[in-house]
């Protein structure tokens, strides 16, 4: 059901799960006169799409290398990562277990409905969505139970944010730069939503690798807009994960915390708590390019881009790439 391959120069297995490259669309001018570009990672294809497909290509490569007999992962009740892991499990014929925050709803909606359609088993823990430590303990407990009953689970941490998963975004960095070249512009900044940090770490690994290969080349600033109080607020954790990713890719260059920009000014009071700036940003994006942003992740990330632009962070005629990381299904959940 899926092709297998390797990343050049490393022994990292990759399974084809995403439809790549995703489009890079022109978004016209921002208020400052900067040019907006939208990288459509909401269109990665796997189980309604989103950023996690890129990580899962490597995480599932690792699972098959380990002869896993099932997948386990964990997330918030409306986790996109869990839904896409369930989709990967369906594609690879691997039973998939999802450890979720919250209690079982009367009717499954959004990402949970899709996860169930993909055949995953949902384990509701009753925990809060931002109680990452206890959600991870529940994943460890379930993984152990599956081992004890004779299974070989491949157990994936929150957001798929391991060094192996982050390789997906090191590769995406190269894809973005190649598309900018084709469009005849140099990107000044890449802006995206960050939560568990794997997307960010992968992009940083891609940046550091490109810088090492060509120190003269102008490369974009990588700006993560934080939407959760976990890894996203720890530049040192993202740097550490980026360096582990570089090591896996057999690169000798390393990042330092100076590369890591996490802007937490657009999170609002907490993860998944709506902000007016995010709902305004979602309307702006829908009117400008029919881009559909979700309130938990991509709209908050885009509100950060618009906020930075309003604060004159981007020069006139500079080129700003927003990675649309997906999140569509949670739009259809009643709150
Ligand atoms: C739609 C969407 N955007 C962005 C992110 C953040 O990605 P990461 O967890 O790699 O920081 C997520 C993570 O769940 C997501 O679902």
């Amino acid at each position: 059901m899926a092709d297998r391959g390797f990343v050049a120069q490393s022994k990292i297995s990759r399974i084809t799960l995403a439809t790549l490259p995703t489009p890079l669309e022109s978004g016209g001018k921002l208020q400052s006169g900067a040019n907006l570009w939208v990288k459509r990672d909401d269109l990665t294809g796997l189980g309604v799409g989103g950023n996690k497909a890129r990580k899962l290509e490597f995480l599932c490569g690792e699972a098959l290398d380990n002869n896993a007999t099932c997948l386990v992962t964990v997330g918030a009740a409306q986790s996109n990562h869990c839904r896409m892991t369930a989709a990967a499990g369906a594609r690879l014929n691997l039973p998939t277990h999802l450890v979720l925050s919250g209690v079982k709803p009367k009717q499954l909606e959004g990402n949970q409905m899709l996860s169930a359609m993909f055949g995953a088993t949902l384990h509701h823990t009753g925990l809060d969505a931002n109680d990452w430590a206890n959600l991870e303990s529940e994943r460890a407990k379930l993984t152990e139970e599956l081992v004890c009953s004779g299974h070989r689970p491949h157990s994936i941490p929150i957001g798929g944010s391991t060094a192996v998963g982050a390789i997906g975004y090191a590769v995406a960095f190269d894809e973005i730069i190649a598309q900018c070249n084709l469009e005849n512009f140099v990107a000044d900044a890449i802006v995206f939503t960050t939560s568990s940090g794997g997307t960010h770490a992968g992009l940083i690994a891609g940046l550091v690798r490109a810088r090492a290969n060509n120190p003269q080349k102008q490369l974009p600033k990588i700006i993560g807009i934080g939407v959760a109080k976990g890894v996203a607020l720890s530049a040192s954790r993202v740097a550490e994960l980026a360096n582990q990713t570089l090591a896996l890719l057999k690169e000798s260059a390393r990042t330092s915390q100076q590369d890591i920009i996490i802007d937490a000014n657009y999170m609002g009071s907490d993860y998944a708590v709506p902000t007016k700036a995010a709902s305004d940003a979602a309307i702006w994006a829908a009117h400008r390019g029919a881009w559909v942003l979700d309130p938990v992740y991509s709209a908050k990330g885009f509100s950060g881009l618009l906020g930075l632009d309003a604060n004159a962070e981007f020069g006139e005629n500079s080129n700003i790439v927003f990675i649309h990381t997906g999140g569509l299904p949670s739009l259809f959940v009643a709150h």
Side-chain angles (χ1 to χ4, degrees):
M1 282 300 281
D3 292 339
R4 295 184 74 172
F6 294 97
V7 173
Q9 292 174 342
S10 71
K11 294 226 168 73
I12 309 291
S13 297
R14 179 179 191 172
I15 307 285
T16 301
L17 293 171
T19 307
L20 302 176
T22 56
L24 178 69
E25 295 176 355
S26 167
K29 288 281 180 194
L30 294 166
Q31 188 189 323
S32 64
N35 301 305
L36 171 67
W37 297 86
V38 180
K39 175 65 172 162
R40 298 292 307 273
D41 272 14
D42 57 318
L43 300 182
T44 53
L46 177 68
V48 195
N51 62 338
K52 298 306 186 307
R54 292 188 186 267
K55 298 182 185 180
L56 284 162
E57 290 203 332
F58 294 94
L59 293 164
C60 290
E62 191 181 30
L64 296 196
D65 283 352
N66 295 341
N67 296 318
T69 57
C70 59
L71 301 174
V72 180
T73 196
V74 57
Q78 281 299 325
S79 164
N80 297 296
H81 163 67
C82 286
R83 177 250 311 164
M84 298 190 75
T85 305
R91 288 273 288 272
L92 298 170
N93 198 21
L94 288 173
T96 301
H97 295 267
L98 306 177
V99 174
L100 299 172
S101 70
V103 293
K104 186 170 184 215
K106 280 204 191 82
Q107 195 171 355
L108 298 180
E109 293 182 301
N111 282 306
Q112 291 198 38
M113 183 194 77
L114 290 169
S115 298
M117 280 178 74
F118 297 139
T121 306
L122 277 49
H123 303 260
H124 292 92
T125 59
L127 291 165
D128 284 347
N130 56 9
D131 190 355
W132 286 18
N134 282 317
L135 283 166
E136 280 293 13
S137 305
E138 290 297 322
R139 171 176 69 90
K141 220 156 80 186
L142 176 65
T143 304
E144 194 50 40
E145 281 165 20
L146 287 162
V147 170
C148 290
S149 51
H151 301 280
R152 253 191 327 273
H154 189 65
S155 193
I156 301 172
I158 213 148
S161 287
T162 65
V164 168
I167 292 172
Y169 270 90
V171 173
F173 180 88
D174 293 346
E175 185 180 305
I176 292 170
I177 299 299
Q179 286 175 315
C180 297
N181 288 342
L182 278 177
E183 295 281 352
N184 278 318
F185 74 89
V186 174
D188 294 281
I190 297 178
V191 183
F192 57 97
T193 306
T194 183
S195 173
S196 65
T199 302
H200 198 167
L203 290 168
I204 294 289
L207 171 82
V208 170
R209 178 167 65 172
R211 191 160 63 203
N213 289 341
N214 186 353
Q216 310 307 327
K217 196 172 159 70
Q218 188 194 325
L219 291 165
K221 261 192 194 174
I222 305 290
I223 305 176
I225 307 295
V227 299
K229 290 180 181 165
V231 169
L233 296 186
S234 165
S236 60
R237 172 71 186 124
V238 172
E240 187 187 321
L241 195 53
N243 284 335
Q244 288 167 2
T245 308
L246 285 160
L248 281 180
L249 290 170
K250 308 260 184 271
E251 297 290 336
S252 51
R254 293 290 179 267
T255 185
S256 66
Q257 278 189 44
Q258 277 153 350
D259 285 327
I260 319 291
I261 305 168
I262 301 169
D263 189 336
N265 291 319
Y266 300 90
M267 183 190 311
S269 58
D270 208 345
Y271 173 77
V273 177
T275 65
K276 164 122 179 30
S279 49
D280 290 349
I283 298 293
W284 192 102
H287 284 201
R288 173 62 69 92
W291 300 301
V292 181
L293 307 179
D294 77 290
V296 180
Y297 294 100
S298 50
K300 280 191 180 171
F302 194 61
S303 73
L305 184 150
L306 293 180
L308 291 171
D309 187 63
N311 292 338
E313 287 289 328
F314 308 135
E316 195 179 356
N317 297 322
S318 61
N319 289 289
I320 313 302
V321 177
F322 177 67
I323 305 181
H324 184 340
T325 44
L328 179 73
S330 67
L331 270 176
F332 303 104
V333 176
H335 292 286

